Amino acid sequence: MSKRALITGITGQDGSYLTELLLSKGYEVFGVVRRSSTESYERIEHLRDRIQLIQADLLDQYSLIKALETAQPDEVYNLAAQSFVPTSWSQAVLTGEFTALGVTKVLEAVRAVDPKIRFYQASSSEMYGKVLEVPQREETPFYPRSPYGVAKVYGHFITVNYRESYNLFAVSGILFNHESPRRGLEFVTRKVTDGVAKIKLGLANELRMGNLDAKRDWGFAGDYVEAMWLMLQQDAPDDYVVATGETHTVQELVEVAFERAGLDWQKYVVIDPRFIRPAEVDLLIGDPAKAKAKLGWTPKTSFKELVHMMVDSDLARLEARK
Ligand code: NAP
Ligand code: G4F
């Protein structure tokens, strides 16, 4: 009999790649979508006839219990969150409700419906914030630098706590930044690759940016969802860092992206103080040794391949629209 999975955040970047992976493995896939006056199912449009969508919201405990009762999943992947760091300052309370307390609501639904369900929590390298160790490992203490990071620390520890308190198969995947052509347009990688494509096609003449010195460990979302799945296939629940082990500055990202389109970045990039954050995470670099050793997981896509893939995709998309 095929396994059943329920994904919260199925309409997001990771939700779409995870759905493709699980369908390829023969899973029956259920997705939680929240009610909106206009549907935003762009990333899963090509999968719509192969999945079942259930309306629920992380803010609404009863709707989550009903969703789990309907789907009767073997595995729950909790990917839903307010995931954009700057918005976590302008909507700090909402971010806490979705990104922190929302995790408890999904865990409570698991307990209520079937404690044998395996649970994955989408934790984040943003929890390391003002980093206390380089590179960051599973044991590195957290020092979050944004309301989003603080909320994710809550989500991580409530997952660990429910595992220890109720013996749930609950895991926390500490994923470093991962990107793709499906990344939201406000995140730095996609903002840059979309901006480059617009400049190349004569649709824009500058790109306004914030801090070019920040360093991130960027990987490909398509590679990272495999690590999520692997975590739920182990004999025992545990927490894992998922990263490439390489770090690059935002400026390097800009250089590689403009170069791919044959443009000189210095002619177009303008520093705009509006994009500087109240508190910055200066350096992220993960140590994926445990994921490699225990899950047999390794990233397949290099930084350059990732940026090229995203520039090429944005050029093709905008050219088609022209
Ligand atoms: P994303 O593209 O922003 O997707 C977020 C998803 O959450 C969307 O499907 C959104 O639905 C849903 N959502 C938000 N609030 C909700 C609510 N109240 N009820 C139900 N659904 C709600 O994020 P992503 O990049 O795929 O990331 C997936 C998860 O991994 C997030 O938890 C994120 O914080 C975490 N994470 C991401 C990264 C990364 O680099 N991408 C790294 C570490 C951790 P709508 O379509 O309705 O808005
Ligand atoms: O792409 P970003 O907005 O991602 P950030 O803040 O690292 O968060 C992402 O990764 C986390 C994992 O560590 C996830 F948990 C989270 O959900 C999200 O997916 O910004 C990356 C860096 C920052 O240092 C920012 O200051 O890029 C810098 N940056 C410089 N100029 C900019 C810009 N970021 C954005 N979004 N826009 C700019 O114009």
Side-chain angles (χ1 to χ4, degrees):
M1 223 176 62
S2 66
K3 275 195 189 172
R4 298 158 78 96
L6 179 127
I7 303 173
T8 72
I10 195 166
T11 56
Q13 170 189 258
D14 292 5
S16 67
Y17 284 107
L18 181 63
T19 301
E20 286 171 2
L21 178 79
L22 296 178
L23 287 173
S24 77
K25 293 185 181 297
Y27 276 67
E28 224 177 304
V29 177
F30 297 79
V32 165
V33 289
R34 51 181 171 164
R35 197 265 158 190
S36 152
S37 64
T38 52
E39 283 185 356
S40 57
Y41 300 164
E42 228 175 277
R43 297 185 179 104
I44 51 168
E45 209 50 68
H46 61 297
L47 307 167
R48 275 297 284 278
D49 57 352
R50 301 170 63 199
I51 59 180
Q52 294 179 60
L53 298 181
I54 305 171
Q55 262 192 26
D57 198 299
L58 280 195
L59 298 182
D60 189 298
Q61 180 74 71
Y62 181 70
S63 71
L64 292 170
I65 292 173
K66 295 305 287 180
L68 264 68
E69 280 175 358
T70 305
Q72 295 182 23
D74 301 288
E75 297 170 7
V76 168
Y77 295 85
N78 183 39
L79 309 186
Q82 189 303 94
S83 74
F84 188 48
V85 171
T87 300
S88 78
W89 278 286
S90 57
Q91 299 182 18
V93 174
L94 188 79
T95 300
E97 301 274 6
F98 283 11
T99 307
L101 265 188
V103 186
T104 311
K105 293 201 178 84
V106 182
L107 282 164
E108 279 296 318
V110 166
R111 285 186 65 216
V113 175
D114 180 1
K116 290 193 300 303
I117 293 170
R118 294 187 169 203
F119 173 85
Y120 172 87
Q121 167 57 14
S123 292
S124 164
S125 51
E126 184 73 13
M127 301 190 298
Y128 296 119
K130 193 171 174 180
V131 299
L132 296 171
E133 186 180 29
V134 178
Q136 294 85 52
R137 306 170 296 133
E138 290 77 6
E139 293 77 20
T140 304
F142 301 134
Y143 190 147
R145 293 273 281 170
S146 63
Y148 168 83
V150 173
K152 281 289 179 186
V153 171
Y154 175 95
H156 169 82
F157 279 121
I158 201 71
T159 301
V160 173
N161 180 260
Y162 271 48
R163 177 168 79 219
E164 293 173 357
S165 303
Y166 303 116
N167 207 22
L168 295 186
F169 194 111
V171 310
S172 171
I174 306 173
L175 270 54
F176 283 61
N177 299 50
H178 46 279
E179 320 292 318
S180 74
R182 298 181 199 166
R183 186 60 144 151
L185 282 164
E186 69 274 49
F187 297 92
V188 76
T189 52
R190 189 70 200 293
K191 179 174 169 177
V192 169
T193 62
D194 177 68
V196 164
K198 284 192 173 125
I199 291 169
K200 181 72 180 174
L201 298 175
L203 302 169
N205 49 28
E206 65 175 24
L207 179 60
R208 304 190 83 82
M209 301 284 304
N211 177 15
L212 298 187
D213 296 328
K215 291 181 167 173
R216 289 291 181 279
D217 179 330
W218 278 295
F220 172 49
D223 294 346
Y224 283 37
V225 295
E226 202 193 350
M228 297 178 187
W229 174 76
L230 283 167
M231 286 178 217
L232 292 194
Q233 312 314 309
Q234 303 306 301
D235 292 337
D238 205 348
D239 309 322
Y240 298 88
V241 159
V242 178
T244 69
E246 255 184 50
T247 195
H248 298 272
T249 61
V250 173
Q251 183 169 315
E252 282 175 76
L253 158 72
V254 166
E255 286 168 6
V256 174
F258 275 83
E259 191 181 43
R260 179 65 170 179
L263 298 170
D264 174 2
W265 71 275
Q266 283 166 309
K267 289 190 182 148
Y268 303 100
V269 171
V270 178
I271 302 302
D272 185 334
R274 281 184 304 145
F275 297 109
I276 306 284
R277 301 178 179 187
E280 178 63 286
V281 172
D282 295 319
L283 162 70
L284 290 177
I285 176 165
D287 176 359
K290 182 174 170 183
K292 279 184 187 164
K294 295 206 168 167
L295 304 177
W297 178 86
T298 45
K300 298 186 184 79
T301 314
S302 73
F303 171 68
K304 208 167 179 181
E305 284 167 347
L306 172 65
V307 179
H308 286 182
M309 178 205 306
M310 293 176 69
V311 171
D312 294 353
S313 162
D314 277 320
L315 277 168
R317 178 180 59 87
L318 291 172
E319 251 161 12
R321 210 186 277 172
K322 251 179 137 186

